[in-house]
Amino acid sequence: MCSLEIHCNEKDMNTLLNFKQGLIDPSGVLSSWFPKLDCCEWTGVKCDDITARVTELYLPCYTNHPQLVPYGDKDDKSHCLSGAFSLTLLELEFLNYLNLSNNDFKCIKYSSIGSRRCDDFSTDNLPYLFGNTTKLRYLDLSYNYDLLVRDLDWISPLTSLQYLNLGGIYIDKDIDWLQSVTILPSLEELHLVSCQLENIYPFLEYANFTSLQVLNLAHNHFVSEFPTWLFNFSSGISLIDLSQNQIHSQLPKTLPCFRSLKSLILSRNYLKGTIPDWFGQLEQLQELDLSHNFLSGSISTSLGNLSSLTILILESNEFNGSLPDDLGKLFNLETLRVATNSLTGIVSERNLLSFKNLRELSLSSPGLNFDFDSEWVPPFQLKHIRLGYMRNKFPAWVFKHSSLKYLAIGDSKTSFEPLDKFWKFATQLEFISLERNTINGDMSNVVLNSKVVWLVGNNFGGGVPRITPEVVVLHLRNNSLSGSISTMLCQNMTNKSNLVHLNMAYNNLSGELTDCWNNWKSLVLINLGHNNLKGKIPNSMGSLPNLRCLSLGNNMLSGELPLSLKRCHNLCIFDVGHNNLSGVLPSWFGQNLKGLKLGSNQFSGTIPRQICQLHSLMVMDFSSNRLSGSIPDCLHNITTMVANYASTRRVGFILNFPGFSITVVTSIQIRIKGNELSYVDLMNVIDLSNNNLYGNVPSDVYMLTGLQSLNLSHNHLMGTISEEIDNLKPLESIDLSRNNFSGQIPSSMSNLHYLEVLNLSFNNFIGKIPSGTQLGFTELSYIGNPGLCGPPLTDICPQDEELHRTNPTEEEEEDDDKFEIYSWFYMGLGIGFAVGFWGVLVSAIFFNRRCNRAYIH
């Protein structure tokens, strides 16, 4: 018997070919799409076995998610489909499944064959064109991040649609998105995550979601009270996810038709008020996440009625009162997270006895008092524990959890004795965080084995601990460690090191920097600042190809910078300020550099012109050295300082592990506005103060329209301030004091509306100080310029003196009458005020910033 061979429908094939012609396919994903091959055999195409009509099109783009992702980096989509997504694809009459997620489409269009243009969209004939497209049930265009949707009318004819995912796509704020989706009678799941939606229609009474089971509106920009329609569906919902929006609202008092609700996630919003009693009626609820809001009041006892609940997350709110006893009725609970609230009362084993299946526990509030029996054996095995604000002894029951992988203890005044037992127990952990505790102990003989070791702000002393090759993050900042780092870094390691993050800043480490860095090529961040290290920077530090942040500031290092550092092409932060380094400024820095701090050293010579090739540079600090020569006239080539734009102003990375991730954001010590500040988001700063620079300020400095702080004080610079200084609109601080500047202060400076600090003292400026609110500083900003006059100085300008003599103001005449009576009072007050004011304002403008602020997720 001969079988009948069926080829794909010719109309379907032509529709697919037309769709292909409008695409950009850099990696040849659609290389099999040509007429001589049956279209049912094409990549991503599936046909019906009997009719050979196209029923499915599956072409998502896969991107790698490595363990380490530089902060701010987007997924590499250079290999993904791009261009315009043509709605002609929906002319496939029997298509029921379409997945083009995570590609790089730029727009949605309906246009002529082969067009890649995004400006020829027309919806006039959509009902006619897609009249037969009633079988499409699944549509996923999510995470095409650059896709712009200006219209959703094309959704309306897809009456069989059950699943719609447009997450990560920008939907124009003027679109009535809710009306477009509520007319889909079969819709069961709607995902509009991170669509930049703003209107949640707070006054709409009813939404016609007759079949909806999943609603996900996370990561949008809703600012309103909860809309009535959200709680007036005609059927139950099995998942609602409104997490990480910006909804300022009270939770509704009633919630009809939600008896079948299984998962409710409202985290990371701006919700306020108390938990409504209707939560207790959600009998099928298995997951409740209200974390990261502004909810207050006591935790509702009605939650004890949720007998099916397995996950309860209420952390990072403003709840008060004690943990309700009714939570003990939640026999199926696996996750309980109520940390970072204002809870009070006693927590003991009585609160946890019912949780036979508990795997994750998070309890941390200043008012909680932990009172556990030292002999208690928990009826559950935890994998994740977070405890905070503990007193007295460390809970002995923690040691009973042989499956524990994640332990975080913070803000506690408790005894960890015996420490040997604790460190032995800690070897089973993948993540250990002890932060801001009062733990004493010698770390010299401790061996650390966890992937992430985060021991910050404790009182650990002794020598540096040893680590195994398992350790990826070692953060020991702000302790009392002493001795040499060579005991750890030069140890014999039989296996390859995986260490990425090394931070031992703010300790008492001494000795020289080891020359064993060849053993640690995986390092991305090194921070050894604020110690007592001495000697030269070793050549082996140049053997770290992945290094992005090197912070060695505030030590006693000497010698010249090694040329080997030239090989660190990925370096973004280089901080060696406040040492005794010498030699000329290097000219070999790579293009990725964002923060460069060489201040407070002994560098000499001129500023190399190669500095102007660092297009990403935001912080340039060469202050307090022995530099001479002129300021390079090419600074306008530093792109970030001209455009006031950077893809990200943060430097760091995200580390992904099974079950958790951490984000580490680095910073750099800078001086601004007279304070020592620490910024996570880097500012555009130039600080060349306290050197021997001479000559005029190059005209291209006035082209740095993104500059936020400029300090050229204590040099030998001359010339005038250009009227074009008002081009520097973002400028917040400018210090030109103790130079040889001359001429008049330009009136255009009054247009610098963000200016908070101005110091032009001890120069040769002349003339009247321009009026304007932005220049109304104290006289300390202008003193030492004998030729200046006018407020806030007491010297009256010649042109104003004649005017005052001939036309005294009414206020001045009244003051003359009162002078004899109050002269003694003004004299005493004036002296005291001047002295006090000088003491407050005469301080120099300094930056000082601690490197490495970390956020753990």
Side-chain angles (χ1 to χ4, degrees):
M1 181 182 229
C2 297
S3 61
L4 182 62
E5 186 177 357
I6 302 177
H7 296 281
C8 82
N9 180 270
E10 183 177 357
K11 180 181 178 182
D12 289 354
M13 181 182 68
N14 289 331
T15 300
L16 291 173
L17 290 174
N18 292 340
F19 173 69
K20 175 186 177 181
Q21 291 180 27
L23 298 180
I24 300 171
D25 182 14
S27 59
V29 174
L30 307 181
S31 59
S32 63
W33 287 31
F34 60 94
K36 292 184 180 181
L37 181 66
D38 185 355
C39 74
C40 294
E41 304 294 327
W42 291 357
T43 300
V45 178
K46 183 176 180 180
C47 298
D48 184 89
D49 293 336
I50 299 175
T51 65
R53 299 300 297 268
V54 174
T55 58
E56 294 186 13
L57 186 58
Y58 183 76
L59 290 170
C61 184
Y62 294 100
T63 50
N64 294 325
H65 294 283
Q67 183 188 36
L68 187 144
V69 180
Y71 190 92
D73 279 16
K74 294 182 178 180
D75 292 342
D76 180 10
K77 294 192 175 184
S78 59
H79 60 291
C80 300
L81 296 175
S82 185
F85 168 62
S86 174
L87 293 175
T88 56
L89 191 62
L90 300 181
E91 294 178 2
L92 296 169
E93 298 176 38
F94 293 89
L95 187 69
N96 61 63
Y97 184 96
L98 176 57
N99 188 339
L100 297 172
S101 61
N102 205 40
N103 277 286
D104 197 25
F105 293 110
K106 305 300 182 184
C107 64
I108 297 176
K109 72 180 183 66
Y110 185 86
S111 62
S112 58
I113 296 175
S115 173
R116 296 178 180 175
R117 295 181 59 187
C118 290
D119 57 357
D120 52 6
F121 187 86
S122 174
T123 60
D124 295 342
N125 298 315
L126 283 177
Y128 169 75
L129 292 167
F130 302 153
N132 296 323
T133 312
T134 57
K135 292 182 168 45
L136 188 64
R137 298 195 301 269
Y138 186 102
L139 176 59
D140 189 350
L141 299 176
S142 61
Y143 303 110
N144 285 271
Y145 293 113
D146 294 329
L147 187 58
L148 170 63
V149 175
R150 293 190 175 93
D151 202 308
L152 282 176
D153 291 343
W154 56 276
I155 293 288
S156 304
L158 308 179
T159 54
S160 297
L161 205 61
Q162 297 175 357
Y163 179 97
L164 176 62
N165 192 344
L166 301 178
I169 296 173
Y170 172 64
I171 297 178
D172 192 281
K173 63 181 180 180
D174 295 327
I175 291 178
D176 189 347
W177 63 270
L178 185 58
Q179 180 180 356
S180 300
V181 296
T182 52
I183 60 179
L184 301 175
S186 303
L187 194 63
E188 297 178 358
E189 293 192 31
L190 174 63
H191 300 268
L192 299 178
V193 181
S194 299
C195 293
Q196 302 184 46
L197 299 174
E198 296 181 1
N199 190 356
I200 200 171
Y201 306 95
F203 305 111
L204 186 66
E205 293 290 331
Y206 178 79
N208 187 28
F209 286 124
T210 57
S211 304
L212 197 65
Q213 295 180 5
V214 175
L215 176 63
N216 190 339
L217 301 176
H219 289 263
N220 283 289
H221 303 293
F222 301 128
V223 181
S224 79
E225 294 187 355
F226 268 86
T228 305
W229 65 263
L230 190 58
F231 308 103
N232 281 299
F233 299 142
S234 59
S235 66
I237 295 182
S238 47
L239 171 64
I240 296 182
D241 187 341
L242 296 174
S243 64
Q244 297 202 27
N245 289 305
Q246 296 179 11
I247 304 178
H248 299 266
S249 67
Q250 296 277 352
L251 287 169
K253 296 181 179 179
T254 61
L255 186 61
C257 305
F258 272 61
R259 299 281 179 146
S260 62
L261 190 67
K262 294 182 179 179
S263 179
L264 179 60
I265 303 174
L266 301 171
S267 59
R268 297 184 183 277
N269 283 286
Y270 296 88
L271 300 175
K272 57 186 178 181
T274 59
I275 297 179
D277 290 337
W278 51 252
F279 272 99
Q281 303 174 24
L282 306 177
E283 299 171 355
Q284 303 300 316
L285 197 66
Q286 297 177 8
E287 179 179 8
L288 176 60
D289 187 353
L290 302 177
S291 61
H292 297 277
N293 281 287
F294 295 94
L295 300 173
S296 58
S298 60
I299 297 175
S300 175
T301 58
S302 67
L303 298 182
N305 298 327
L306 307 177
S307 57
S308 299
L309 203 65
T310 60
I311 299 175
L312 176 60
I313 305 177
L314 303 176
E315 64 189 4
S316 297
N317 277 286
E318 298 173 357
F319 292 120
N320 53 44
S322 60
L323 281 176
D325 293 337
D326 294 76
L327 294 184
K329 301 176 183 178
L330 306 177
F331 301 110
N332 297 307
L333 204 62
E334 296 178 5
T335 297
L336 175 61
R337 290 162 53 181
V338 293
T340 319
N341 280 287
S342 299
L343 299 175
T344 57
I346 296 176
V347 176
S348 68
E349 61 272 12
R350 184 176 58 86
N351 300 91
L352 307 176
L353 282 174
S354 303
F355 305 141
K356 310 296 184 183
N357 301 312
L358 199 64
R359 296 293 179 266
E360 182 177 352
L361 176 64
S362 179
L363 291 169
S364 175
S365 288
L368 285 179
N369 185 11
F370 294 87
D371 185 19
F372 288 93
D373 189 321
S374 60
E375 303 297 326
W376 179 57
V377 178
F380 46 78
Q381 275 291 313
L382 293 173
K383 292 185 176 180
H384 184 296
I385 297 178
R386 178 188 173 193
L387 301 174
Y389 298 99
M390 292 190 302
R391 304 167 186 88
N392 303 320
K393 291 195 68 174
F394 183 78
W397 57 267
V398 172
F399 294 115
K400 308 293 184 181
H401 298 281
S402 58
S403 300
L404 192 66
K405 298 298 179 185
Y406 183 111
L407 176 64
I409 308 293
D411 300 291
S412 295
K413 298 179 179 179
T414 184
S415 171
F416 281 69
E417 300 294 340
L419 274 173
D420 290 346
K421 180 180 179 180
F422 178 81
W423 292 123
K424 183 178 179 180
F425 173 76
T427 58
Q428 75 181 47
L429 303 173
E430 293 184 359
F431 179 102
I432 178 172
S433 173
L434 303 177
E435 189 164 4
R436 297 182 303 276
N437 300 292
T438 54
I439 311 173
N440 297 308
D442 190 331
M443 299 288 288
S444 302
N445 297 317
V446 174
V447 179
L448 301 170
N449 187 56
S450 305
K451 286 183 169 61
V452 176
V453 179
W454 201 272
L455 312 178
V456 177
N458 299 287
N459 195 31
F460 290 121
V464 176
R466 290 171 293 163
I467 63 174
T468 71
E470 292 295 317
V471 179
V472 177
V473 172
L474 181 62
H475 197 126
L476 304 175
R477 182 175 181 266
N478 197 17
N479 282 284
S480 300
L481 299 174
S482 59
S484 172
I485 60 174
S486 61
T487 55
M488 182 189 75
L489 295 178
C490 298
Q491 62 183 312
N492 293 323
M493 299 190 66
T494 57
N495 299 318
K496 179 182 177 182
S497 167
N498 294 302
L499 192 64
V500 167
H501 173 116
L502 174 63
N503 189 333
M504 291 191 287
Y506 291 92
N507 279 282
N508 299 315
L509 301 175
S510 59
E512 297 188 355
L513 283 171
T514 175
D515 202 17
C516 300
W517 298 100
N518 288 313
N519 300 328
W520 307 88
K521 293 186 182 296
S522 55
L523 277 168
V524 173
L525 179 147
I526 299 173
N527 188 354
L528 299 173
H530 293 269
N531 280 287
N532 300 310
L533 300 172
K534 61 182 180 179
K536 296 182 177 181
I537 298 176
N539 287 321
S540 59
M541 274 195 158
S543 65
L544 306 176
N546 301 307
L547 196 61
R548 293 174 61 86
C549 176
L550 179 58
S551 296
L552 303 173
N554 294 86
N555 279 286
M556 296 180 289
L557 300 174
S558 59
E560 298 184 4
L561 296 178
L563 186 60
S564 62
L565 290 175
K566 181 180 181 179
R567 298 196 295 267
C568 300
H569 302 293
N570 296 311
L571 205 58
C572 296
I573 297 289
F574 185 67
D575 179 2
V576 293
H578 294 277
N579 280 286
N580 293 312
L581 298 168
S582 58
V584 298
L585 295 184
S587 59
W588 37 256
F589 291 109
Q591 290 295 310
N592 293 313
L593 201 63
K594 293 186 177 182
L596 178 58
K597 180 175 175 61
L598 305 177
S600 298
N601 279 286
Q602 304 295 325
F603 291 111
S604 57
T606 61
I607 300 175
R609 293 184 62 85
Q610 289 86 346
I611 201 73
C612 302
Q613 299 173 11
L614 304 179
H615 303 301
S616 300
L617 193 63
M618 286 182 275
V619 176
M620 180 198 302
D621 181 1
F622 301 159
S623 63
S624 300
N625 279 285
R626 299 176 180 178
L627 301 178
S628 58
S630 59
I631 300 173
D633 59 357
C634 55
L635 296 179
H636 65 282
N637 292 322
I638 304 177
T639 308
T640 51
M641 291 195 181
V642 173
N644 195 27
Y645 169 80
S647 57
T648 175
R649 291 192 168 273
R650 297 187 175 187
V651 176
F653 50 85
I654 301 171
L655 278 168
N656 298 307
F657 300 96
F660 69 93
S661 65
I662 70 167
T663 298
V664 178
V665 180
T666 67
S667 57
I668 193 170
Q669 296 180 347
I670 55 177
R671 299 187 285 177
I672 191 169
K673 301 179 186 178
N675 296 306
E676 297 182 357
L677 300 173
S678 179
Y679 296 91
V680 172
D681 298 302
L682 300 184
M683 296 181 67
N684 288 344
V685 174
I686 295 178
D687 189 349
L688 305 179
S689 61
N690 289 288
N691 280 288
N692 296 309
L693 301 176
Y694 55 81
N696 294 334
V697 175
S699 59
D700 69 337
V701 168
Y702 302 106
M703 299 167 60
L704 304 181
T705 53
L707 193 62
Q708 294 168 280
S709 178
L710 176 64
N711 191 346
L712 304 178
S713 65
H714 292 80
N715 279 287
H716 307 289
L717 299 170
M718 61 182 65
T720 61
I721 301 177
S722 171
E723 284 283 350
E724 296 180 350
I725 195 171
D726 65 346
N727 291 336
L728 313 183
K729 301 296 184 186
L731 203 61
E732 299 178 23
S733 174
I734 180 169
D735 188 352
L736 304 180
S737 63
R738 296 189 181 274
N739 278 284
N740 297 313
F741 290 110
S742 58
Q744 294 189 336
I745 300 172
S747 59
S748 60
M749 288 190 74
S750 61
N751 297 326
L752 300 176
H753 300 299
Y754 294 100
L755 195 63
E756 297 179 14
V757 173
L758 174 66
N759 192 349
L760 303 179
S761 63
F762 298 100
N763 280 284
N764 297 309
F765 292 113
I766 61 173
K768 184 177 181 180
I769 297 174
S771 60
T773 57
Q774 293 309 120
L775 298 182
F777 297 95
T778 70
E779 64 178 13
L780 299 180
S781 296
Y782 304 100
I783 60 172
N785 291 277
L788 279 181
C789 59
L793 297 177
T794 56
D795 295 334
I796 301 176
C797 296
Q799 62 268 36
D800 295 331
E801 190 172 3
E802 181 65 27
L803 181 62
H804 276 269
R805 280 201 303 265
T806 56
N807 298 299
T809 64
E810 182 179 328
E811 200 172 281
E812 287 173 329
E813 290 177 348
E814 185 177 347
D815 286 344
D816 288 341
D817 294 337
K818 296 179 179 179
F819 177 76
E820 291 184 4
I821 300 175
Y822 294 112
S823 60
W824 61 270
F825 176 77
Y826 283 119
M827 183 179 296
L829 177 63
I831 296 172
F833 182 78
V835 172
F837 213 57
W838 180 274
V840 172
L841 294 181
V842 88
S843 58
I845 302 174
F846 282 99
F847 291 65
N848 188 4
R849 187 167 184 188
R850 297 186 177 184
C851 191
N852 300 309
R853 181 175 300 173
Y855 302 88
I856 305 175
H857 302 277

